[in-house]
Amino acid sequence: MSDVEHLKAFVSRDGDELIIQKAPEGHVRIEVTHSVLSDDILGTNNWKNFPIDTTITSLKEKLHRIVGTDPKYMNLQLRENNKTTVLVDNDGFQDGSLTLNHIPHLLEGVNLNIHIIDVDPNNYVASLQDIDSQPSTKMTDEEYDKREGTYRKWKQEQEQKQPSTTTQPSSTTDDNSIEPSWLKIGDKCQVKSDLRTGTIAYIGLVNDTVGYWVGLHLDLPLGKNDGTLKGKKYFDSIDKYGAFVRASNLNVNSQQPNEI
């Protein structure tokens, strides 16, 4: 099959049917499995091509780079693709100078399996998979704070760049009879109910009404007046830029007037 044909077959295959490519000329294609490592850890493509003139010593070194087991702790089995029928046991792999093309059955088909039995008494490969047995390093807050370029420092810098936003104390939220002392002329603010923004230009009583009002010079012409109400001027603004709102309806930024 050409590469294009292989790709078409891969895309159109049913279910989890595995397509095993044929080895290049002068090579054998073998599935590699391990007594400790699962197929998931080895990867979905654990079929490897080996030159037929590869010696057993060289094969074990190549397998060592794949699975991590030291060659001296490898027992090899050549098995059929059903992984149950052993064709060549470890005794057939003892001669390190022997090449793959001299191993019985190896050149008879592509669906063969080399199973690595790990006999390391120290269980090195197994210990690498046991996360709980590995020493973990936990950094204290003091050590972390000394590091540069951390997420925590970045977050602190971003918070410092943002203007601090304050709202009136909850105890006076709906009590308009109390003067909103937390506000001051020149504060930038936002109207909670409709998100209009502006600058505080007046704080005080308004004739014929009960309680304290805040006069705003809005950033956009979304108001109802120019700071004048029923013929009395409370603050200077432009027509449609003035508005009166209750303090409880404001979010206030602690900025100076020149930061409008």
Side-chain angles (χ1 to χ4, degrees), residues 168 171-180 182 204-205 210-213 245-249:
Q168 56 273 22
S171 61
T172 61
T173 297
D174 298 316
D175 191 352
N176 297 314
S177 65
I178 300 176
E179 182 178 3
W182 58 91
L205 302 174
V210 177
Y212 284 87
W213 290 86
V245 299
R246 294 294 191 182
S248 59
N249 195 23

Side-chain angles (χ1 to χ4, degrees), residues 18-21 29-32 39-49 66:
L18 179 64
I19 296 175
I20 303 173
Q21 299 175 353
R29 188 166 180 81
I30 310 174
E31 182 185 21
V32 178
D39 289 346
D40 290 338
I41 295 176
L42 286 174
T44 56
N45 182 21
N46 54 349
W47 287 84
K48 306 298 179 183
N49 296 327
I66 296 172

Side-chain angles (χ1 to χ4, degrees), residues 8 164 167:
K8 288 181 178 179
S164 59
T167 57

